[in-house]
Amino acid sequence: MFLHSVNLWNLAFYAFMVFMATLGLWDVFFGFEENKCSMSYMFEYPEYQKIELPKKLAKRYPAYELYLYGEGSYAEEHKILPLTGIPVLFLPGNAGSYKQVRSIGSIALRKAEDIDFKYHFDFFSVNFNEELVALYGGSLQKQTKFVHECIKTILKLYKGQEFAPKSVAIIGHSMGGLVARALLTLKNFKQDLINLLITQATPHVAPVMPLDRFITDFYMTVNSYWILNARHINLTTLSVAGGFRDYQVRSGLTFLPKLSHHTSALSVVSSAVPKTWVSTDHLSIVWCKQLQLTTIRAFFDLIDADTKQITQNPKKKLLVLNHHFIRHPAKHFEENPAIISDLTGTSMWVPVKVSKWTYVAYNESDKIYFTFPLANHRKIYTHAYCQSTMLDTNSWIFGCINSTSMCRQGVDLSWKAELLPTIKSLTLRLQDYPSLSHLVVYVPSIHGSKFVVDCEFFKKETRSIQLPVTHLFSFGLSSRKVILNTSGLFYNIELLNFGQIYQAFKINVVSKCSGVKEEITSIYKLHIPWSYEDSLTIAQVPSSTEISLKLHVAQPENDSHVALLKMYTSSDCQYEVTVKTSFSQILGQVVRFHGGALPAYVISSILLAYGGQLYSLFSTGHCLEYATMLDKEAKPYKVDPFVIMIKFLLGYKWFKELWDVLLLPELDAIVLTSQSMCFPLVSLILFLFGTCTAYWGGLLSSTSVRLLSSLWLALKRPSELPKDIKMISPDLPFLTIVLIIVSWATCGAFAILLTYLYYVFKVVHLQASLTNFKNSQTVNPKHSRRSEKKSNQHKDSTAHPLRLSASDAEDSLRMHSTVINLLTWIVLLSMPSLIYWLKNLRYYFKLNPDPCKPLAFILIPTMAILGNTYTVSIKSSKLLKTTSQFPLPLAVGVIAFGSAHLYRVPCFVFIPLLLHALCNFM
């Protein structure tokens, strides 16, 4: 029946939209590199020692606990307090466990053992009862206050010690990082209690799914405080994102706001972190061995030797974090590195006058200094480039000042180098070092190991090649390519016209080598200069390598930098670089950045179909099929132009003032623009996806009702169509009061779910009655025709009560089907608070605060009346025409105010439902 109401062209269109959506979803959930994280293992059995909290605190927060992590002998020794180490507090995120601290805690313990416990860290972890705080924000403030109490409790454990800490370091995973930032908003909180904050996959900018106002209010409070008080916040903060593997929290949300007067915050994607260079998913970011090793190295470098605690010097903290998380020079961290180094001792000095040089070191018995005179090279070349495959942490390249053939002291240029997975490299612009007379490369004496050192001089224009990316709508049918003919070691491919999040490309690098016997490695580094989201690809050449090119953060308007593909190549190979648009990845970016707004577009389409059904009932006396009205009414030109027009008018001062006088919220399109999330045609694409989802959702609900009605007829005696239509049955007021009491005493979402089940039951019962009536009509057509005629006579007469005919029952079912679709989405959007309530039922019988309670109070009586409403009872209502006109502006309102604030969407849905119910009385 449902499919019969849709023509084949529309059905083909809906199937095509499913295919398009599948492409986007596939890119988000599967279109990324394999998990290259190494698992971190415990060497001894992990133990979690519960820290006893004050009784008042434990009573106030019965669901929360504080633990100290330990292993083996360390755990046994520290069962007797007080403690003597450096405190670090781990805060789990949404549905996170306090046991997630074990990976970083175990690595820190191993590192402390390596230095004979000269320094060691005590890792604490908070048990938040695995609350779903990313979906229900009512407990975020409570978690924040509990963490404040935990910090005070932790510091008391060190009381009386010689080097007692006065502050703690915090590592926050997911929403735990936001809770840590929220500590600063508490009235009685002292900022000095936190000396360092590291967040992992924390959505700082906005909630992933804004399903209740408590989440958005919490975000508004935290971010507003950090922006307004940026000059006074001295807390060094590092935010680490997981990259494209993390489809739960996209990396763009993890970047802390860049303020010119707040320089103590860093944001980086894990794929750009030196010695990590991998993308992590939302859970593996807490156990990824490469990333946790980097974090622990930074922690130990942050220790002040005098206080034996983390340094209070903000400059040193930033230097350490930059060293380990942004650019690693392949040397151990030094706060004040020696720029001038002695180049003395028994060693050989070998002059090199060629512009390109390679040295293979193997079992070297003597130290060798290779010197490159710069005077002649400056006349021809602009840059010098050197690389070494020996990845030790010793200084390896120097600059001599005013020297002839050798120098006793040199400028240590090793600090300017960059560590890569297989090499350490250095690129020098010669004009930046006018006082240098020689470049010196140091090769130490080694035994049993082999490494290669390469140097070359080049002109910038020969190694910087421009490659404009293809047009967005080329759909991968066209491509652009460059060929690297010269035998260089390093190239910069400038990716012109690339800087928007809706752009996505595939880069294919083909390498062809001649006369190569040994295995050669090339490195392709995608460098994004406006954000730390670089990614590296290692290729064994000759080979064909595909690289995905897409962004986490769009290029700022005032930024003129160009994205680069840095290629560390072999001089024996020729490279061909091809770029073309990837349509599937563009769809993936749409889903990644705007998928959370899809429910708003689905409900907007259903509202348009609902309005069409109400109007057809008013104008013709019959309600058309849901699918037919969806095809006819759910058109993007009925919604998008109004939103675009409002956004345009808000650019005028007079309209903005009028908007503010009316106390209207900020337009969601403006919010998305401020977050650099505007795609061309994105609203059209989302509307088409939404209409498609509304269609298949309607098919699913219609099929479900028919199956349930068949089951009802199989299990129960056949029902008959109601003889008398009663809008308010005797048990309806009692049921309504009971559900309202349930909503007040327990959880609003639970009452909404019960109301939904009641409504579905009424619709299933009506469907079963109609099916039974049609079956009896088939068996005894004469009797059925008499019954139908008699029913119509009753209906046409002025006698009361009204009688329900088969055609009226079909009309009613069509209307009920649409209402079920709307109500289903309300239930889905309220489900997180219901799950949260059920999970915490042993601690709290009543959900407080409850985001769904006000909605439940209105929706319960409305749906109770609609469950007993038939089209025959409202088609003559004076209110029906007005009711049929409301869904259109409400569909516009859903997109204008609900696409980035999903908790507002049900408010637009209950209005036409309420008017529909009132049609019974007017």
Side-chain angles (χ1 to χ4, degrees):
M1 190 74 177
F2 189 93
L3 286 171
H4 291 163
S5 60
V6 183
N7 63 49
L8 290 177
W9 284 110
N10 287 332
L11 191 62
F13 170 75
Y14 290 135
F16 175 71
M17 292 309 299
V18 169
F19 172 73
M20 298 275 281
T22 303
L23 284 179
L25 291 169
W26 179 270
D27 179 70
V28 171
F29 293 106
F30 304 102
F32 42 70
E33 65 181 63
E34 63 180 5
N35 194 348
K36 297 178 182 177
C37 279
S38 300
M39 178 65 76
S40 51
Y41 294 97
M42 284 79 252
F43 290 90
E44 297 177 272
Y45 189 78
E47 294 187 32
Y48 304 89
Q49 180 185 347
K50 186 176 179 181
I51 303 298
E52 187 176 347
L53 299 173
K55 290 183 179 179
K56 288 184 179 180
L57 190 62
K59 188 176 182 181
R60 197 186 315 161
Y61 305 101
Y64 300 163
E65 297 168 322
L66 177 64
Y67 288 88
L68 171 65
Y69 177 81
E71 295 178 19
S73 58
Y74 170 87
E76 291 297 323
E77 291 173 6
H78 288 82
K79 284 182 180 179
I80 304 173
L81 303 174
L83 304 173
T84 58
I86 304 169
V88 180
L89 178 60
F90 176 81
L91 304 180
N94 177 57
S97 168
Y98 67 95
K99 294 182 179 181
Q100 288 174 313
V101 73
R102 64 180 176 266
S103 294
I104 194 165
S106 180
I107 291 173
L109 189 58
R110 300 285 85 75
K111 177 75 172 176
E113 288 177 349
D114 291 342
I115 58 173
D116 295 326
F117 284 93
K118 179 182 179 182
Y119 309 111
H120 74 274
F121 289 88
D122 300 318
F123 275 83
F124 297 85
S125 184
V126 174
N127 178 15
F128 285 134
N129 194 32
E130 300 183 10
E131 291 178 335
L132 299 172
V133 286
L135 304 178
Y136 169 75
S139 62
L140 283 168
Q141 191 67 20
K142 183 170 61 175
Q143 286 191 1
T144 306
K145 292 179 179 179
F146 180 74
V147 171
H148 183 200
E149 298 297 331
C150 285
I151 292 173
K152 292 189 287 187
T153 301
I154 289 169
L155 293 178
K156 288 178 183 177
L157 299 177
Y158 297 85
K159 196 172 182 180
Q161 298 300 307
E162 182 181 358
F163 298 101
K166 297 179 181 179
S167 57
V168 302
I170 294 181
I171 298 177
H173 173 238
S174 189
M175 294 298 287
L178 188 70
V179 169
R181 288 180 64 217
L183 286 167
L184 275 64
T185 66
L186 298 178
K187 289 183 179 179
N188 300 321
F189 185 79
K190 296 179 181 178
Q191 191 183 136
D192 294 340
L193 290 177
I194 308 176
N195 53 49
L196 177 68
L197 172 59
I198 295 179
T199 66
Q200 298 173 334
T202 296
H204 292 293
V205 176
V208 177
M209 292 290 284
L211 294 174
D212 66 56
R213 63 180 178 85
F214 304 120
I215 295 179
T216 54
D217 289 349
F218 190 80
Y219 266 89
M220 183 70 71
T221 301
V222 174
N223 287 332
S224 296
Y225 181 89
W226 276 64
I227 291 172
L228 295 174
N229 297 278
R231 294 182 185 275
H232 310 292
I233 295 176
N234 296 318
L235 175 59
T236 303
T237 308
L238 171 70
S239 174
V240 183
F244 288 109
R245 277 194 63 84
D246 188 351
Y247 51 78
Q248 295 185 45
V249 176
R250 62 178 179 82
S251 296
L253 290 176
T254 68
F255 278 68
L256 292 160
K258 290 183 178 179
L259 303 174
S260 58
H261 48 277
H262 184 209
T263 57
S264 58
L266 290 173
S267 302
V268 62
V269 179
S270 62
S271 59
V273 176
K275 295 191 175 184
T276 300
W277 296 306
V278 296
S279 177
T280 63
D281 59 54
H282 197 63
L283 292 179
S284 68
I285 198 169
V286 300
W287 56 255
C288 182
K289 186 176 181 180
Q290 296 96 311
L291 182 60
Q292 301 311 325
L293 282 170
T294 300
T295 306
I296 292 303
R297 290 188 199 107
F299 267 121
F300 276 89
D301 282 341
L302 284 165
I303 297 173
D304 187 320
D306 296 329
T307 63
K308 295 190 177 180
Q309 296 293 325
I310 288 180
T311 180
Q312 296 299 318
N313 184 346
K315 184 180 178 181
K316 179 180 178 180
K317 284 190 263 192
L318 274 179
L319 286 173
V320 171
L321 295 180
N322 271 286
H323 179 92
H324 288 283
F325 288 90
I326 305 300
R327 185 184 177 93
H328 199 296
K331 287 180 67 65
H332 290 308
F333 173 78
E334 294 179 29
E335 185 176 359
N336 298 301
I339 302 300
I340 305 299
S341 299
D342 292 328
L343 306 180
T344 58
T346 56
S347 55
M348 294 175 57
W349 287 80
V350 180
V352 180
K353 295 183 179 181
V354 295
S355 61
K356 186 174 182 181
W357 168 83
T358 298
Y359 184 78
V360 180
Y362 182 67
N363 282 335
E364 299 292 334
S365 58
D366 298 317
K367 301 176 184 177
I368 307 175
Y369 288 104
F370 293 94
T371 62
F372 298 81
L374 299 179
N376 291 330
H377 291 313
R378 289 182 191 277
K379 299 175 183 178
I380 306 172
Y381 306 107
T382 60
H383 288 70
Y385 172 82
C386 289
Q387 66 181 33
S388 173
T389 60
M390 187 175 187
L391 303 182
D392 64 348
T393 57
N394 296 317
S395 295
W396 62 287
I397 188 164
F398 307 89
C400 287
I401 300 174
N402 300 325
S403 174
T404 53
S405 60
M406 59 180 290
C407 53
R408 294 182 179 277
Q409 289 184 324
V411 179
D412 192 350
L413 299 174
S414 306
W415 293 101
K416 303 290 184 181
E418 180 182 13
L419 178 66
L420 295 168
T422 58
I423 60 172
K424 52 186 178 184
S425 68
L426 173 68
T427 304
L428 293 178
R429 192 167 69 162
L430 296 179
Q431 72 179 52
D432 292 341
Y433 301 89
S435 60
L436 295 186
S437 60
H438 288 73
L439 196 64
V440 179
V441 175
Y442 171 61
V443 176
S445 58
I446 55 173
H447 300 282
S449 60
K450 179 181 178 180
F451 66 96
V452 180
V453 183
D454 297 279
C455 285
E456 66 174 353
F457 294 85
F458 62 87
K459 286 184 178 180
K460 180 184 177 182
E461 53 268 24
T462 62
R463 301 299 173 84
S464 295
I465 302 167
Q466 294 184 340
L467 177 61
V469 297
T470 50
H471 193 272
L472 182 68
F473 296 109
S474 63
F475 301 105
L477 300 177
S478 62
S479 63
R480 288 174 179 158
K481 69 178 179 179
V482 293
I483 298 175
L484 312 181
N485 288 317
T486 58
S487 57
L489 298 171
F490 173 76
Y491 293 90
N492 267 334
I493 308 295
E494 298 180 2
L495 302 168
L496 302 181
N497 308 320
F498 174 63
Q500 301 301 323
I501 52 176
Y502 54 78
Q503 294 177 296
F505 306 93
K506 287 182 180 178
I507 294 179
N508 192 48
V509 181
V510 178
S511 55
K512 298 176 182 178
C513 307
S514 58
V516 176
K517 296 180 180 180
E518 296 183 356
E519 189 178 75
I520 300 176
T521 299
S522 291
I523 300 174
Y524 313 132
K525 179 180 180 180
L526 178 62
H527 175 60
I528 309 300
W530 55 84
S531 64
Y532 297 119
E533 55 176 285
D534 297 2
S535 59
L536 282 80
T537 302
I538 302 173
Q540 303 297 330
V541 295
S543 64
S544 176
T545 305
E546 187 175 274
I547 304 170
S548 291
L549 179 61
K550 51 193 174 187
L551 293 171
H552 298 291
V553 178
Q555 185 174 16
E557 291 183 3
N558 57 350
D559 194 299
S560 59
H561 291 94
V562 179
L564 300 173
L565 178 65
K566 294 186 173 185
M567 300 181 62
Y568 300 87
T569 58
S570 169
S571 57
D572 297 320
C573 300
Q574 184 185 62
Y575 295 81
E576 182 181 284
V577 182
T578 307
V579 61
K580 62 180 179 180
T581 301
S582 174
F583 185 62
S584 63
Q585 291 189 61
I586 291 174
L587 292 175
Q589 290 290 79
V590 171
V591 174
R592 183 175 287 109
F593 282 85
H594 293 279
L598 186 62
Y601 284 87
V602 175
I603 290 172
S604 180
S605 295
I606 300 174
L607 281 173
L608 291 173
Y610 183 40
Q613 283 183 314
L614 289 170
Y615 187 77
S616 71
L617 184 63
F618 165 76
S619 58
T620 66
H622 291 284
C623 180
L624 296 180
E625 282 282 354
Y626 166 74
T628 303
M629 296 313 302
L630 195 66
D631 292 335
K632 183 179 178 182
E633 299 293 335
K635 305 297 182 185
Y637 60 77
K638 293 187 175 183
V639 175
D640 281 347
F642 292 99
V643 178
I644 294 170
M645 189 183 303
I646 294 170
K647 183 182 177 183
F648 173 76
L649 290 173
L650 281 170
Y652 291 93
K653 186 178 179 181
W654 65 269
F655 191 81
K656 183 68 170 67
E657 291 175 351
L658 177 63
W659 189 271
D660 294 337
V661 168
L662 296 174
L663 301 177
L664 292 172
E666 190 174 21
L667 197 69
D668 280 1
I670 295 177
V671 175
L672 296 177
T673 301
S674 67
Q675 298 176 9
S676 301
M677 284 177 56
C678 281
F679 280 52
L681 304 178
V682 67
S683 188
L684 173 62
I685 295 170
L686 288 173
F687 196 95
L688 295 176
F689 282 168
T691 305
C692 172
T693 306
Y695 168 77
W696 292 110
L699 175 60
L700 179 63
S701 66
S702 176
T703 304
S704 300
V705 167
R706 290 179 181 278
L707 289 174
L708 289 172
S709 66
S710 301
L711 183 63
W712 176 270
L713 289 173
L715 298 176
K716 195 173 176 67
R717 191 173 59 184
S719 307
E720 295 182 355
L721 288 173
K723 295 180 179 179
D724 299 326
I725 298 176
K726 297 179 181 180
M727 287 175 287
I728 300 180
S729 58
D731 60 338
L732 196 61
F734 173 75
L735 179 65
T736 303
I737 292 170
V738 169
L739 288 174
I740 289 176
I741 292 173
V742 168
S743 174
W744 176 263
T746 59
C747 172
F750 180 53
I752 290 173
L753 178 62
L754 294 177
T755 305
Y756 173 75
L757 294 175
Y758 165 77
Y759 189 83
V760 170
F761 167 76
K762 296 291 290 187
V763 175
V764 168
H765 186 269
L766 179 61
Q767 177 69 59
S769 302
L770 180 61
T771 303
N772 182 53
F773 177 82
K774 288 183 176 180
N775 290 339
S776 64
Q777 189 179 27
T778 305
V779 175
N780 192 353
K782 292 184 178 180
H783 174 73
S784 299
R785 281 196 294 271
R786 284 198 300 271
S787 299
E788 180 75 14
K789 185 176 180 181
K790 188 176 179 181
S791 174
N792 288 331
Q793 287 174 352
H794 276 280
K795 185 173 68 175
D796 295 337
S797 67
T798 57
H800 291 282
L802 293 171
R803 299 291 295 271
L804 188 68
S805 67
S807 61
D808 289 329
E810 288 183 347
D811 281 349
S812 299
L813 279 171
R814 293 180 189 128
M815 187 67 74
H816 285 310
S817 175
T818 305
V819 174
I820 282 180
N821 289 334
L822 285 172
L823 201 57
T824 299
W825 282 98
I826 292 180
V827 171
L828 290 175
L829 291 174
S830 64
M831 196 57 64
S833 61
L834 174 61
I835 296 171
Y836 178 91
W837 173 72
L838 290 172
K839 192 175 179 63
N840 290 273
L841 199 54
R842 57 177 173 165
Y843 302 109
Y844 314 103
F845 187 71
K846 181 179 181 180
L847 182 63
N848 185 34
D850 189 346
C852 298
K853 189 173 291 181
L855 177 65
F857 287 166
I858 301 173
L859 205 60
I860 288 168
T862 301
M863 299 315 300
I865 294 171
L866 285 180
N868 291 275
T869 296
Y870 303 93
T871 54
V872 67
S873 63
I874 65 168
K875 64 173 63 177
S876 58
S877 170
K878 297 178 181 179
L879 191 61
L880 183 58
K881 183 178 180 181
T882 304
T883 302
S884 68
Q885 294 170 341
F886 259 80
L888 175 58
L890 292 172
V892 176
V894 166
I895 302 303
F897 302 108
S899 56
H901 298 82
L902 290 177
Y903 65 89
R904 295 174 182 166
V905 171
C907 301
F908 292 95
V909 174
F910 85 79
I911 294 174
L913 295 177
L914 179 62
L915 292 173
H916 187 173
L918 291 175
C919 286
N920 287 286
F921 308 100
M922 300 177 67

